[in-house]
Each structure stands twice: as C-alpha cells, then as structure tokens.
Amino acid sequence: MKIKLIAVGTRMPDWVDEAVEEYARRLPGDFRLEVKPVPMARRGRNADVAKAMQQESDSLLGQIDNRDTVVVLDVEGRRHTTDSLARRMASQQHCGSDIALLVGGPDGLDAGCLQRADERWSLSDLTLPHPLVRVVLAEQIYRVWTVLQGHPYHRR
C-alpha cells in the first residue's frame, strides 16, 4: 500500500524534510509513504481567499488517483487512537487501494476537496503548524506499521 501525503507548501524547513524522510525510510516497500507537496496559492493584501483555496484544492486533487481512498485532515474530522488508526489502515491495506492524505493551506480546504473525501481525520483540537503536521503524520504512519508488525516501537 502506498500512503500519499499530499500537502500544500513546497518549502519546508530542513528539520521537517529530515524527520519525514527518516520515518519514510523506515517503512517497507509494501507500506510506503510518499510526500507530494503542492504550491501554496499567492495571497496578497487584497487576495481572494476563496480563489486561493480553490487553486490549492485543485492542485491537491490533481495528485490523487481515482482508486485512492481520500482522507482530508480537518479539525472537524474523526479523531483516532493509535490502535484504531492501525485497524483502519490494516483494513485499507487488505482492500488493496492506496491512501491519499490531503493537507490544505493556511485557510484550509475548499468544498471540492471536502466533497471528494472518503474520510475526514483530525489530529487534534489544537491548531498545528503545517510543517509539524507532516512530521506527526509521518511518525504516526510509521507507528501504525510497527503496531501491525508487533514491533516494540509502540509501547502500550
């Protein structure tokens, strides 16, 4: 199974890229993480925020395949425990389709992304900086894999 982390923003700090790459490197080929950044739309002083969100969402949706299970990260989405997320991803792995995790820009996702979503997940009630979201998702994907493998990384 391929897990595509498709996120708005193309220039992340080095520590973000290094952390995400480290967790991705630890995963086997049959449970791999692939990061696909898309450009953030320009926002000026009098920017049309709705138009910027639509441009970003079009870019995000352009990176998914028709057979992907699309999960949007949304503050109002479902919260998972590590174990429930592991069960969910194991089920997805058995179905044979890939997962596309969509992370919007500073103003969120427009209606097109939300309508295309098969699921909505929330990482926290807190507002997290977008670079940190990438690291948290990469670590949790690795953690889920370790749970599924019975690896001692995840201690209950």
Side-chain angles (χ1 to χ4, degrees):
M1 172 173 69
K2 180 171 34 174
I3 302 156
K4 298 179 239 182
L5 172 51
I6 309 168
V8 173
T10 54
R11 290 183 290 207
M12 291 294 112
D14 289 342
W15 65 268
V16 172
D17 292 334
E18 290 168 9
V20 171
E21 288 170 16
E22 174 62 24
Y23 288 115
R25 181 190 62 75
R26 295 178 185 186
L27 293 166
D30 64 344
F31 200 95
R32 74 179 186 271
L33 173 63
E34 184 177 293
V35 179
K36 296 181 168 217
V38 299
M40 185 169 71
R42 298 196 77 156
R43 286 169 174 78
R45 199 176 302 175
N46 298 318
D48 182 344
V49 173
K51 183 177 180 181
M53 288 172 60
Q54 181 182 7
Q55 288 175 336
E56 292 165 354
S57 291
D58 290 346
S59 295
L60 291 165
L61 293 171
Q63 295 292 320
I64 63 172
D65 296 323
N66 289 337
R67 293 181 18 170
D68 289 344
T69 296
V70 177
V71 177
V72 297
L73 277 291
D74 180 19
V75 71
E76 296 179 16
R78 178 176 179 203
R79 287 183 220 111
H80 283 277
T81 65
T82 298
D83 290 331
S84 72
L85 189 56
R87 285 190 301 273
R88 177 65 195 100
M89 293 188 91
S91 173
Q92 189 65 39
Q93 190 174 26
H94 291 309
C95 290
S97 65
D98 296 332
I99 296 176
L101 300 170
L102 306 184
V103 180
D107 299 299
L109 297 164
D110 84 344
C113 276
L114 297 175
Q115 289 170 354
R116 174 57 181 90
D118 298 301
E119 298 179 31
R120 293 182 190 192
W121 294 354
S122 175
L123 294 179
S124 172
D125 288 338
L126 300 172
T127 301
L128 300 174
H130 284 73
L132 188 56
V133 167
R134 292 182 191 203
V135 175
V136 168
L137 282 171
E139 191 279 338
Q140 286 300 297
I141 291 166
Y142 174 70
R143 182 175 296 273
V144 160
W145 177 79
T146 65
V147 167
L148 297 174
Q149 300 303 308
H151 187 282
Y153 178 82
H154 178 68
R155 292 175 175 84
R156 295 184 173 121

